[in-house]
Amino acid sequence: MINTKLGILAAACAFALAACSDKQPAEAPQAAPTAATPAPAPTEAAPQDSMQAMTPAASAAPATPAADVNAAANGKPTAQITDCSTEFEGTDAMQYSISSIVVPASCTDFKITLKHTGKLPVAAMGHDVVITKTSDMEAVDADGRAAGQDNGYVKADDPRVIAHTKLIGGGETTSVSFPVSKIKDGGPYTFFCSFPGHSALMKGSISVQ
Ligand SMILES: [Cu+2]
């Protein structure tokens, strides 16, 4: 598991994400592609806790079977729901605090609140929450990147965007509400951060149950 995580981490850092770079040298040998354990992790079971795996304690832990990679959505919890709303966090380590959102089918509207608990400014570590069909995510992300920071990295009036918050920096909070009917059928749906490069780590599933 650890080797797997580091393998994934190496891939994540290869995205040239500044958040990883300062810590990478110490772990680089283990993260090399030639690591004994092959990296079997499906990309959808994204390495959302891979940053935490870089701590010395985690590195010293014994390897566990690769099957664990799919367990419990990488160790991150499902969002806690309160009165048809949820609040979760984004960090300076380019992470959401949750890995999935399950919206109660009894809700008419649902509200998502994102709290950026970091300190970095929006230009360096901006976060938002964008909801799309999973199959649309990549294209919406690319178009958002092209739209630039002035547009919060979301293309204006993009019909594939079901809902999105504004882009925020450290210390800020933002919310968005949307009709649950929009994600009831035709899924699966994904939420992700559209800041360039972030969706590699900052994404999760959103469904109605
Ligand atoms: Cu982000």
Side-chain angles (χ1 to χ4, degrees):
M1 166 95 113
I2 295 306
N3 282 341
T4 300
K5 282 184 176 176
L6 288 169
I8 297 167
L9 180 64
C13 288
F15 278 86
L17 300 167
C20 299
S21 57
D22 58 331
K23 294 180 186 171
Q24 193 171 11
E27 301 293 341
Q30 293 181 54
T34 52
T37 305
T43 44
E44 279 310 305
Q48 311 214 358
D49 59 348
S50 57
M51 290 296 183
Q52 284 92 326
M54 299 181 79
T55 62
S59 299
T64 51
D68 283 9
V69 167
N70 293 320
N74 309 300
K76 279 194 193 165
T78 293
Q80 271 199 299
I81 310 297
T82 307
D83 294 336
C84 296
S85 70
T86 188
E87 178 175 323
F88 56 93
E89 297 171 356
T91 69
D92 278 349
M94 210 180 78
Q95 302 276 338
Y96 286 137
S97 57
I98 58 155
S99 61
S100 61
I101 303 171
V102 179
V103 177
S106 57
C107 296
T108 304
D109 294 298
F110 191 74
K111 180 181 179 184
I112 291 176
T113 298
L114 174 69
K115 185 177 178 184
H116 192 321
T117 56
K119 291 190 164 68
L120 293 172
V122 65
M125 186 54 68
H127 297 317
D128 62 6
V129 176
V130 179
I131 299 172
T132 65
K133 280 188 183 183
T134 302
S135 57
D136 285 338
M137 186 192 98
E138 221 168 288
V140 169
D141 198 20
D143 287 348
R145 205 177 309 136
Q149 193 187 321
D150 286 350
N151 294 301
Y153 295 113
V154 176
K155 181 182 169 187
D157 302 320
D158 188 332
R160 299 164 300 182
V161 173
I162 292 156
H164 73 93
T165 68
K166 68 172 191 167
L167 189 73
I168 57 171
E172 295 183 288
T173 298
T174 183
S175 295
V176 66
S177 294
F178 59 95
V180 174
S181 59
K182 288 191 170 183
I183 59 168
K184 249 179 184 148
D185 306 306
Y189 294 92
T190 293
F191 67 96
F192 68 98
C193 176
S194 67
F195 191 96
H198 286 199
S199 65
L201 290 175
M202 299 184 73
K203 66 180 172 186
S205 66
I206 181 166
S207 57
V208 179
Q209 261 178 37

